Amino acid sequence: MPHWLVIDLEATTDEGGWPVTEMEIIEIGATLVDRAGREQDHFQRFVKPTRRPLLTPFCRELTHISQANIDAAQPLTEVWPAFERWLAQHQPRLEGWASWGDYDRKQLLQEWQRLQLDSGLSKVPHMNLKQRFAKARRLDRPLGLNGALQLAGMQFSGQQHRALEDARNTARLLPLVLPL
């Protein structure tokens, strides 16, 4: 049975936001689901940023990620290979990967290039679920994850702006846009 990987990243930021080029991943959340959106496996790790290792108060409040979580984490150069090892066992059944919007894809591409990391994901098709959901629902403009869940008659489950919870909630919308 084919599977989809839904990824969500949390990254360094401050009030008003930072350009993607200034942001660094601080948490990776990934859920592997079947086409019905049922979780088969998951991956979650905190990541220690190297350029700005101190989280801003805004970032800590938004993500509910503590400085202690980050201080105890490994850098992406160590976390990403662990993710790739986890992913390798699922790769043969992987139909594609998705994220809510295009930010996660762009952030990963930037980090892979900056740190010279190889990724099996670079050979797998990516779906911008935010755009696909808006198109399927004939919306004038895409909604945030919470708004899309509400439109689909669902409530957000868990803590918003935590990578694994965001990925799991995004995955709940996947069956609504995948062709049968």
Side-chain angles (χ1 to χ4, degrees), residues 53-78:
L54 283 180
L55 299 183
T56 64
F58 174 82
C59 186
R60 289 194 313 269
E61 192 173 312
L62 177 72
T63 62
H64 296 271
I65 296 172
S66 71
Q67 187 63 49
N69 293 140
I70 295 308
D71 291 343
Q74 298 174 309
L76 192 62
T77 52
E78 293 176 45

Side-chain angles (χ1 to χ4, degrees), residues 5 7 80 83-84 87 91 94 97 105 108-109 112-113 117-126:
L5 185 68
I7 295 180
W80 195 255
F83 174 84
E84 289 289 333
L87 182 63
Q91 198 96 26
L94 201 56
W97 72 281
R105 183 186 68 80
L108 283 173
L109 284 173
W112 295 339
Q113 289 170 349
L117 297 169
D118 286 325
S119 178
L121 278 186
S122 63
K123 299 162 190 70
V124 177
H126 173 262

Side-chain angles (χ1 to χ4, degrees), residues 138-167:
R138 295 186 170 87
L139 303 175
D140 291 336
R141 55 189 211 22
L143 297 171
L145 179 55
N146 214 359
L149 286 164
Q150 288 174 4
L151 185 64
M154 300 178 208
Q155 291 284 313
F156 191 97
S157 176
Q159 178 69 56
Q160 290 185 46
H161 302 294
R162 285 304 303 275
L164 186 55
E165 281 92 340
D166 283 358

Side-chain angles (χ1 to χ4, degrees), residues 17-42:
W18 288 346
V20 173
T21 54
E22 296 293 312
M23 299 167 82
E24 286 180 275
I25 297 168
I26 56 171
E27 186 182 24
I28 298 170
T31 180
L32 184 80
V33 296
D34 62 20
R35 291 184 120 238
R38 289 183 296 264
E39 186 172 87
Q40 307 298 307
D41 201 357
H42 68 272

